[in-house]
Amino acid sequence: MGLFNRDDDYVSPFDTDDAPDYVNPDVEAARISQQVDAEQDQREHIARMRKLQDAASSRPSPAGTARDVQMSIRQATKPVNRANHWSMRQPKRQSQPHASAKSMQRNQAYGPDAKTSQGKRSGYAIAALVLAAVAVIGFGETSSMVLTIVALALAIVAIFRTDANSRKSGRVMAVAALVLAVVMLAIQTAILIVENTSHSDISWTSSGLVTDYDGYETSDEPFTVADHSGTVSDYNGQTYDITIDQAAYGLTDDYDGNPQLIVSFTVTNNADEAWSLNSMAYVDVMQNGVGLDQAYGFENNAATRQLGFADADGGDDIESGQTQTVTMAFTPTDVSSPILVYVSGVNEAVQSAFVFADGQSTGPLTQIDAADMEAPPQAGETEREGMTTMADYDGLSRISLRFDSVRQGPQDYDGNDTVMLTLTWINETDRPYSLADLGAVDLAQDGHELSRAYISDALSQGYDEAAMYRLVMPGVPMSVDICYTPTGDDDSFEASFNAYSSFDDMESTLSLE
């Protein structure tokens, strides 16, 4: 063994008594990895503790909370026993029960009680939006405006009771309901205004409004009626002085040889230009409470000239500032019932009555005041049976009406088949009106509105095409026939009457007889 002994400082590579122990690379790598993991876990834990401390310092908390957090941080900074660290690895940390400062403030403002109140506030918004939607669906009905007003009120309440910063408070729904309700209310109000200013008079007895033959309002001045002589005005404010002079029967004949009733007028044209009597005013003659047909073919003769009847008729122009006598002819229904002559303008009328002498066949009629004329036959219970009465906006009765039947009518000018709607109506006002003055009649088949049919005289079979335009005195029943052109084979028809200046309409389903 001496060969291996030396006295110098040489150290043999085989002499390992003082050398460090052998280190396994795999073991060392695992140890270093554990150390790195432990240090990373420590840094993460410290960061979490600091976040907890920041959260605690930003909200009201007991005084010891900050100290506890600081203690936890100090404890977390203690050296970790690396030898035991592997077995002491903690599971993933559960979510902390602490909330952020912003969340805590929200909870304080909207706690359980606030959530209940928030639900109530959202309820106002939901109710407002639902009512506004129902109002849109029922547009055109009276209930729609009521629902719109309620929805508007609920929407305003909801906006004041909701939080503008919260998406769940119902503020958006409340604003949407408010906008919808305002739009609906504006539209409905505009429609009412248009109806009040465009349709026939609201009530001439209460407000003085009168209408033309199309049923549209013309003025809000009181309507006045004069006996025998007076002044009437047109729509342009031009005035005309009219006197109803006299009437005679049987002195002239129409083109068909029928005796005529002739009426003489003295007319002064106060307008700026020439106008005829027919252009100045409406001239009607009524017998038995119903307007008569105007007769054509009047020719003056020695007898009429002797009585003072002029050659000029209602279509002849009268120069501005001139006075002229005008003769107009009509066809009476009998020679015993009194006659009412009625000349109407925009706000005025001139009227005068004439009566036949007992057994009179020809000659002049006796002129009397309209108030002294015998009243025409009034509607009784039988005529009123099954009728619907419609009132104006003031609640005053305007018209009573009943749809009677739909049957086959005469052929029109082109030889097409027609159907004839028959109705009966009563003028419930206190001045003469026509059916066309008070409303519009329609007939529909298969949901399609039918067009009016025009009948030739040869095929009329007594059909009175002008019936709906004839003036009818108050309380007098009037039967009207209207012909239409059918569009299909369905025997069921829907008749309707749209009353002017009224909330009331009438509909009826009729089968072809």
Side-chain angles (χ1 to χ4, degrees):
M1 295 299 294
L3 295 174
F4 299 96
N5 293 329
R6 297 191 57 172
D7 295 334
D8 53 15
D9 296 329
Y10 174 75
V11 178
S12 171
F14 298 101
D15 186 3
T16 60
D17 293 338
D18 297 327
D21 296 336
Y22 172 75
V23 178
N24 189 323
D26 294 334
V27 175
E28 183 64 12
R31 183 185 66 80
I32 295 173
S33 175
Q34 293 175 6
Q35 179 179 352
V36 171
D37 291 341
E39 292 174 353
Q40 180 64 27
D41 289 345
Q42 180 177 346
R43 285 194 294 270
E44 292 178 356
H45 185 63
I46 292 173
R48 287 194 296 270
M49 292 299 102
R50 287 175 178 173
K51 289 182 179 180
L52 290 176
Q53 184 179 17
D54 293 340
S57 61
S58 64
R59 75 181 197 280
S61 60
T65 302
R67 292 195 299 272
D68 294 342
V69 174
Q70 294 174 357
M71 182 64 68
S72 299
I73 293 177
R74 285 197 296 270
Q75 291 176 354
T77 57
K78 289 182 179 180
V80 178
N81 187 344
R82 296 177 181 175
N84 298 328
H85 176 70
W86 184 261
S87 60
M88 294 174 61
R89 294 284 300 266
Q90 296 180 354
K92 290 184 178 181
R93 179 174 176 271
Q94 301 295 325
S95 58
Q96 296 295 328
H98 305 287
S100 66
K102 185 175 182 179
S103 299
M104 294 178 63
Q105 292 173 357
R106 185 184 300 114
N107 289 337
Q108 290 174 359
Y110 304 103
D113 295 337
K115 290 182 179 179
T116 302
S117 177
Q118 174 181 316
K120 293 180 179 178
R121 292 192 292 266
S122 299
Y124 283 108
I126 294 173
L129 190 59
V130 169
L131 289 179
V134 173
V136 172
I137 295 174
F139 182 78
E141 300 179 1
T142 305
S143 59
S144 177
M145 176 166 284
V146 176
L147 292 175
T148 301
I149 295 174
V150 175
L152 181 63
L154 289 176
I156 294 174
V157 172
I159 288 176
F160 281 102
R161 293 175 61 91
T162 51
D163 179 20
N165 298 323
S166 176
R167 296 181 179 179
K168 299 182 179 180
S169 68
R171 171 63 67 90
V172 175
M173 284 188 295
V175 173
L178 178 64
V179 172
L180 185 58
V182 169
V183 172
M184 281 290 295
L185 189 60
I187 294 174
Q188 291 170 330
T189 302
I191 290 175
L192 285 179
I193 293 175
V194 170
E195 288 181 349
N196 288 341
T197 57
S198 300
H199 283 163
S200 64
D201 62 296
I202 295 177
S203 173
W204 80 273
T205 55
S206 60
S207 64
L209 297 179
V210 296
T211 62
D212 59 19
Y213 277 88
D214 293 327
Y216 295 99
E217 289 183 7
T218 56
S219 175
D220 57 358
E221 297 181 10
F223 192 86
T224 60
V225 180
D227 276 324
H228 308 307
S229 183
T231 301
V232 299
S233 59
D234 62 16
Y235 304 112
N236 296 317
Q238 303 294 322
T239 62
Y240 313 91
D241 298 330
I242 297 176
T243 299
I244 303 172
D245 297 317
Q246 60 177 326
Y249 172 76
L251 301 179
T252 58
D253 296 333
D254 63 16
Y255 289 128
D256 297 324
N258 301 313
Q260 294 176 326
L261 170 69
I262 55 176
V263 181
S264 177
F265 305 88
T266 299
V267 182
T268 300
N269 181 6
N270 300 317
D272 298 332
E273 54 185 309
W275 292 102
S276 66
L277 176 57
N278 287 337
S279 300
M280 299 175 185
Y282 297 104
V283 180
D284 293 279
V285 174
M286 289 168 277
Q287 189 176 35
N288 296 312
V290 178
L292 301 178
D293 285 327
Q294 186 172 345
Y296 298 94
F298 165 74
E299 294 182 0
N300 219 342
N301 54 40
T304 55
R305 289 193 184 97
Q306 184 178 1
L307 293 174
F309 288 93
D311 294 334
D313 60 26
D316 293 338
D317 282 344
I318 303 173
E319 295 298 326
S320 175
Q322 298 298 309
T323 299
Q324 184 169 310
T325 301
V326 174
T327 301
M328 295 184 67
F330 300 86
T331 303
T333 57
D334 61 65
V335 292
S336 58
S337 302
I339 302 293
L340 178 66
V341 180
Y342 191 82
V343 182
S344 57
V346 175
N347 302 312
E348 315 85 8
V350 179
Q351 64 182 5
S352 186
F354 296 88
V355 294
F356 290 91
D358 292 340
Q360 179 180 355
S361 58
T362 60
L365 277 63
T366 302
Q367 186 173 21
I368 63 174
D369 290 340
D372 297 331
M373 185 183 75
E374 181 182 352
Q378 300 291 293
E381 294 183 1
T382 303
E383 289 85 0
R384 292 182 175 277
E385 185 176 355
M387 284 191 170
T388 298
T389 299
M390 286 156 275
D392 63 16
Y393 297 134
D394 292 335
L396 301 175
S397 297
R398 297 272 290 171
I399 181 175
S400 295
L401 186 142
R402 176 185 65 241
F403 290 112
D404 297 318
S405 65
V406 174
R407 63 185 186 278
Q408 195 72 35
Q411 291 184 334
D412 63 14
Y413 277 102
D414 298 324
N416 299 317
D417 292 335
T418 67
V419 292
M420 182 184 293
L421 170 66
T422 300
L423 61 89
T424 304
W425 72 283
I426 301 172
N427 178 3
E428 302 289 6
T429 70
D430 56 3
R431 61 167 287 190
Y433 273 118
S434 71
L435 178 63
D437 288 334
L438 299 178
V441 180
D442 292 306
L443 187 68
Q445 183 183 37
D446 294 326
H448 301 285
E449 186 176 318
L450 302 182
S451 300
R452 289 280 304 276
Y454 297 95
I455 312 302
S456 65
D457 294 337
L459 302 174
S460 63
Q461 302 176 11
Y463 171 60
D464 183 8
E465 199 165 50
M468 66 183 302
Y469 303 104
R470 298 186 186 279
L471 284 192
V472 177
M473 295 178 66
V476 175
M478 173 69 173
S479 180
V480 174
D481 294 328
I482 308 174
C483 284
Y484 297 88
T485 302
T487 58
D489 298 328
D490 193 353
D491 291 340
S492 180
F493 297 87
E494 296 80 37
S496 63
F497 182 77
N498 178 24
Y500 297 144
S501 300
S502 173
F503 292 117
D504 301 325
D505 291 333
M506 180 181 175
E507 296 181 353
S508 180
T509 300
L510 302 171
S511 297
L512 184 66
E513 295 183 355

